[in-house]
Amino acid sequence: MANEDYIIRPAEIEDLHQVMRINQKTLPENYPYSFFVELLKKFPKSFLVAEKNGEVLGYMMNRIEKGLPGVFTSHFRANKGHIVSIAVLPEHRRKGIGKRLMIEGMKAMKEYGAEEFVLEVRITNEPALAMYKSLGFEVVREIKGYYHDGESAYLMSRKAEDIQIS
Ligand code: ACO
Ligand code: ZN
């Protein structure tokens, strides 16, 4: 999975302090250490980091959710791959890292049985919205006042069908 000078690989417990630092630096939605540990323990294959010489440049963490019907999967108890959080360090953006994290993360979630991928994103987050649209995500609906500061989110979704697992 190497590409030029960084690799995409499953996260390890030792990476979590760097992952948390990136999360705190780049997003207003932060979580306690225990939350990162829980996601890593439950879904180790789909918690990914981009790493270069020991430095974590970006991460993506996900959760498989069984529950209410999804957008593309109307049957009850559809497996949804929820993209909980993704971020890349500012000085390493626009090099394709975010997109590669997304693609590898979606493959891993599909291996866990995800039939559809879902995420929430701030309606003003142009870079993330552009990235998700370029990966085939569509806006399902707006969730008014989703964030603690009152900003709304777009719920976005994408089928897992055409994601190839090697
Ligand atoms: N403006 C316009 N389009 C953009 C931008 C931008 N600033 N950034 C990315 N894109 C689009 C482009 O289509 C781009 O393809 P291109 O470079 O060939 O034109 C495509 O997304 C993929 O770009 P990448 O280089 O793969 O993305 P990057 O590594 O820069 O990471 C990310 C994108 C993760 C959104 C980054 O900007 C970031 O960390 N932002 C802050 C954290 C954040 O907002 N995370 C998402 C929150 S929502 C959630 O976590 C579910
Ligand atoms: Zn979410």
Side-chain angles (χ1 to χ4, degrees), residues 46-48 59-62 83 85-86 101-102 105-106 109:
S46 70
F47 193 141
L48 302 178
Y59 71 89
M60 180 208 199
M61 57 184 193
N62 309 300
I83 294 126
S85 185
I86 177 169
L101 283 167
M102 286 289 298
M106 289 192 289
M109 286 193 278

Side-chain angles (χ1 to χ4, degrees), residues 63 65 82-84 118-120 146:
R63 181 165 61 208
E65 296 167 358
H82 183 166
I83 294 126
V84 174
V118 293
L119 60 86
E120 301 90 13
Y146 179 78

Side-chain angles (χ1 to χ4, degrees), residues 85-88 93-96 98-99 120 125 127 130-132:
S85 185
I86 177 169
V88 173
R93 288 182 193 162
R94 293 313 285 270
K95 295 196 278 188
K99 209 163 176 169
E120 301 90 13
N125 190 344
M131 178 177 73
Y132 299 139

